[in-house]
Amino acid sequence: MYCQFAKRTLFVIFIFLVVLFTSSCKQTESNQNDIESRVNNLLSEMTLEEKIGQMSQIDPGYLSDDQMNQTVREGKYGSFLNIFGVEKINALQKIAMEESRLKIPLIIGRDVIHGYRTIFPIPLGMAATWNPQIVKKAFRISSVEASSQGIRWTFAPMIDITWDPRWGRIAEGCGEDPYLASALAKAMVEGIQGDDLTDPTAVAACAKHFVGYGFAEGGRDYNTTYISEPVLRNVVLKPFKAAKDAGALTFMSAFNDLNGVPTSGNEFTLRQILRDEWHYEGMVVSDWASVTEMISHGYCANEKEAALKAITAGVDMEMSSTSYMNHLKSLIDEGKVNLTLIDEAVKNILRLKFKLGLFENPYVNPEAEKQILAPEFLDHARTVARQSAVLLKNELNTLPLSSDISSVAIIGPLADAPRDQLGTWVFDGKAENSVTPLTAIKEVLGNAKVNYAAGMTYSRDKSKTGFAGAIAAAKKSQAILFFAGEEWILSGEGQSRGEINLPGVQEELIEELAKLGKPLVVVVMAGRPLAIGNVVEQSNALLYAFHGGSMAGPALADLIFGKESPSGKLPVTFVKGSGQIPFYYYHNNTGRPANTKSWTPIDSIPVINSQASLGYKSFHLDYGFTPLFPFGYGLSYTTFKYSNLILSSTEMASNGNLTIKVSVLNDGDIDADEIVQLYIRDRVGSITRPVKELKGFKRIHLKSRETVGVTFELPASELEFFNGKENVIESGEFDLWIGPNSDEGLHSEFSIK
Ligand code: NOJ
């Protein structure tokens, strides 16, 4: 009887859910149809000038208010970037909605890369959390703050894979790995856009820079890129596909020349891949003047040709330069551009504005800005900063320090640098809202126990006059905390470096301090992976914190004094020096891979030589063949032990799935998070395959002495790759590892039949 009742109830619930689901699908479908018909109606009323206006975006910095108002009245621009103030934006929207002929709202764009006023760690730091959930929430918060200022479109996420830490923009991306970057790209897009695009806090995401920009030769920004099609498709495009699948409303074409064709005029990437293969229905904006920069590239003779090539390739909106405005009309009159191309572009733009509900509600509620810097936002920034720090060394458990310590010396140019800790690409965050490590540690220990002497005034400082004070502070303290790193201005757009060591005299000062024989903890706050081999040797513990944002100070204090264990893992391989670049863990094998036995270190070569083999293997005489730290690496205050790796089968069909289980034990006295990583190797392929590839990861929390079972599902589709001709899943033998980083782990194998 009871059983029958339960069955009936379940059935009723099931029917209710089916009805709910189908009706919500119908609703979305009907909204979509509705939008399409509104787009088409509006388009049919537009003059060519109005269409071209929608396709143009400028930073109106040089226009007076009156001039700006007039351009809006005339429908000359569809979008502005970098305009400020709720009042100003509302006034402009009022003109657009009431005084322009077709009453098309503006869309206001801005770079909100890792926070608006509440600044989160730089994206590379966020990637070190390996935690899509908290990253998604960080981007949601950024959108809540930014939208309260009238920004409904942001040029984020930046998801350029790079193998080059010299490139300043490595700070803005998610590192070297396509799998990790894809998971984060999805999280970022979902966070930026929110669940309901018409909600006033929804901001349109922009997947950038499409594509290959991170492969700039020599790490020099804006440089030429040559990327083979397998690398393009198997690596570089992956996060963009993930962003597209997550619903990214816009894409940005890049600055770089890709294999001889600038990406803002590249029909292969913008039209064939993005539109034809991926069926992308969103809008494409160029990067800042990247359309007219095709003239400098030597791909277009003049502005008019640049406009022709960009529109033909599929750039819908031109940012900053005005080749569309100046030339599209004559290109149409001359029959060089078909009006359907223009109409497609305008439809993409109008669709975006309809989707965001801008026609219904173009205005910003002045009350919304009250949420800026809300305590829960700052709390989240602290959590993200905490999870982004990577412990690279911890000799004899130097860390955590006891908060009962009698005194600490705080030294180094980044200890109290509120602007620097925010990192690059911060337009709206303010130094005055940063809490620095010095302030936070004083809060924990009280002023009396802190002996502060920066030793250097900024990271590039070459003067040693502050050394004596720093050494004196260290001498009277029980432990030394050195906050090393780079000023924010040394990474980011146009801010590449040839050498990636610690700038200024930081290494010398650290060496002096190490001589004192006291526990020496170095915290590095930087916009890129630095070559810190010497510092690792000199220090007893080293925490790599990137630029951690507004709450970097409290987050670091939490870790230093053991409120929580560090849990970040490197999203990028750390090299020993610039000469090792590029060095990424998923490289293909050589015919002569090196190993410890085959490497001849430069100093062990005898002085008198005849032509002889020094191993004839792939290595550098000076650096060897291993990086400083491998991808995925990061220590904890506890130790984790992996055991019982079990695969559901040793064979998988090419449309099958493997279930993989492993046990992880927290073998220490404190609770902590571990990031469990799954790698595979396709041993033989129709083209050579990487020595390892990340195919899964999970951040888990383990209580002291707890063992947790972790399960991964590996669908065969994850093993698909582009072999130069087509996408294939090839039969054969595979290695599989589960472990704490790309270099260690339990091993197993399976095959695809
Ligand atoms: C140029 C940068 O490359 C791009 O990332 C940014 O979004 C635009 N400028 C707008 O500021």
Side-chain angles (χ1 to χ4, degrees), residues 81 111 155 169 208-209 252 255 287-288 319 425 493:
L81 76 160
D111 292 284
F155 309 118
R169 301 195 81 169
K208 74 184 189 185
H209 306 83
M252 183 186 286
F255 285 130
D287 201 345
W288 183 281
M319 181 192 285
W425 271 116
E493 187 180 345

Side-chain angles (χ1 to χ4, degrees), residues 422-692:
L422 296 180
T424 186
W425 271 116
V426 168
F427 286 130
D428 304 290
K430 295 191 176 4
E432 73 233 35
N433 301 128
S434 289
V435 185
T436 66
L438 178 66
T439 308
I441 292 168
K442 280 184 173 168
E443 178 93 356
V444 176
L445 297 181
N447 285 352
K449 289 184 176 180
V450 172
N451 299 313
Y452 172 59
M456 299 168 62
T457 49
Y458 61 111
S459 75
R460 288 163 296 148
D461 195 350
K462 292 194 180 63
S463 156
K464 295 188 180 175
T465 50
F467 278 27
I471 291 165
K475 278 189 175 155
K476 58 181 179 191
S477 306
Q478 210 183 327
I480 307 165
L481 290 171
F482 191 100
F483 290 87
E486 282 180 321
E487 297 145 72
W488 74 268
I489 194 71
L490 299 184
S491 57
E493 187 180 345
Q495 279 132 219
S496 296
R497 296 182 60 200
E499 296 296 339
I500 52 165
N501 48 359
L502 277 178
V505 286
Q506 295 182 76
E507 278 194 24
E508 281 102 311
L509 181 50
I510 290 170
E511 256 173 50
E512 291 303 317
L513 295 167
K515 287 181 194 156
L516 303 179
K518 306 206 171 194
L520 172 60
V521 177
V522 175
V523 178
V524 183
M525 299 164 82
R528 58 163 60 76
L530 292 169
I532 45 163
N534 293 342
V535 181
V536 174
E537 267 174 35
Q538 299 288 332
S539 60
N540 303 103
L542 193 139
L543 196 53
Y544 210 90
F546 303 94
H547 285 140
S550 312
M551 297 301 277
L556 287 168
D558 291 343
L559 299 176
I560 289 166
F561 296 103
K563 196 166 159 198
E564 201 173 278
S565 170
S567 58
K569 302 258 184 172
L570 297 179
V572 67
T573 303
F574 270 44
V575 292
K576 292 175 182 161
S578 286
Q580 245 187 347
I581 299 166
F583 203 143
Y584 51 99
Y585 81 93
Y586 53 91
H587 61 85
N588 291 347
N589 223 352
T590 66
R592 298 186 173 199
N595 58 41
T596 3
K597 285 194 197 126
S598 61
W599 175 42
T600 311
I602 195 161
D603 292 330
S604 58
I605 304 171
V607 178
I608 309 294
N609 276 297
S610 56
Q611 171 63 41
S613 162
L614 294 177
Y616 285 141
K617 293 285 192 278
S618 179
F619 57 74
H620 286 121
L621 291 171
D622 39 13
Y623 292 128
F625 58 95
T626 53
L628 184 61
F629 293 107
F631 174 83
Y633 186 79
L635 302 168
S636 167
Y637 292 158
T638 182
T639 42
F640 299 105
K641 291 202 170 133
Y642 286 67
S643 64
N644 289 334
L645 174 59
I646 299 168
L647 276 55
S648 56
S649 167
T650 51
E651 282 180 11
M652 161 156 67
S654 59
N655 58 356
N657 183 71
L658 266 190
T659 302
I660 302 142
K661 296 192 170 174
V662 73
S663 299
V664 185
L665 161 70
N666 175 354
D667 200 20
D669 296 331
I670 60 155
D671 303 351
D673 280 11
E674 167 68 329
I675 297 161
V676 183
Q677 302 166 36
L678 164 66
Y679 295 89
I680 60 110
R681 178 180 183 179
D682 183 353
R683 286 188 197 154
V684 179
S686 52
I687 58 169
T688 50
R689 308 290 298 125
V691 294
K692 262 186 190 173

Side-chain angles (χ1 to χ4, degrees), residues 233-355:
R233 289 185 183 272
N234 296 331
V235 177
V236 179
L237 284 168
K238 289 273 162 122
F240 286 94
K241 178 66 166 45
K244 181 255 156 196
D245 290 344
L249 289 168
T250 73
F251 265 54
M252 183 186 286
S253 67
F255 285 130
N256 57 298
D257 162 2
L258 172 65
N259 301 333
V261 181
T263 44
S264 289
N266 198 310
E267 286 187 59
F268 173 59
T269 53
L270 288 174
R271 212 164 271 291
Q272 182 181 318
I273 294 179
L274 187 61
R275 298 288 184 193
D276 299 346
E277 294 180 22
W278 294 1
H279 308 293
Y280 181 59
E281 288 178 351
M283 191 265 259
V284 175
V285 65
S286 76
D287 201 345
W288 183 281
S290 63
V291 172
T292 51
E293 286 178 12
M294 291 198 286
I295 303 168
S296 307
H297 278 291
Y299 187 61
C300 303
N302 49 41
E303 250 198 20
K304 190 168 176 181
E305 195 184 350
L308 172 64
K309 286 191 164 155
I311 186 69
T312 308
V315 172
D316 299 321
M317 185 184 277
E318 182 180 13
M319 181 192 285
S320 177
S321 52
T322 52
S323 72
Y324 279 10
M325 183 167 287
N326 300 341
H327 303 286
L328 278 184
K329 187 167 181 323
S330 51
L331 285 166
I332 287 179
D333 293 345
E334 291 161 21
K336 290 187 176 143
V337 169
N338 193 312
L339 193 58
T340 54
L341 268 187
I342 307 283
D343 285 352
E344 280 313 313
V346 177
K347 278 166 125 184
N348 292 338
I349 295 161
L350 295 179
R351 200 179 293 122
L352 170 69
K353 294 183 175 183
F354 278 115
K355 281 188 172 172

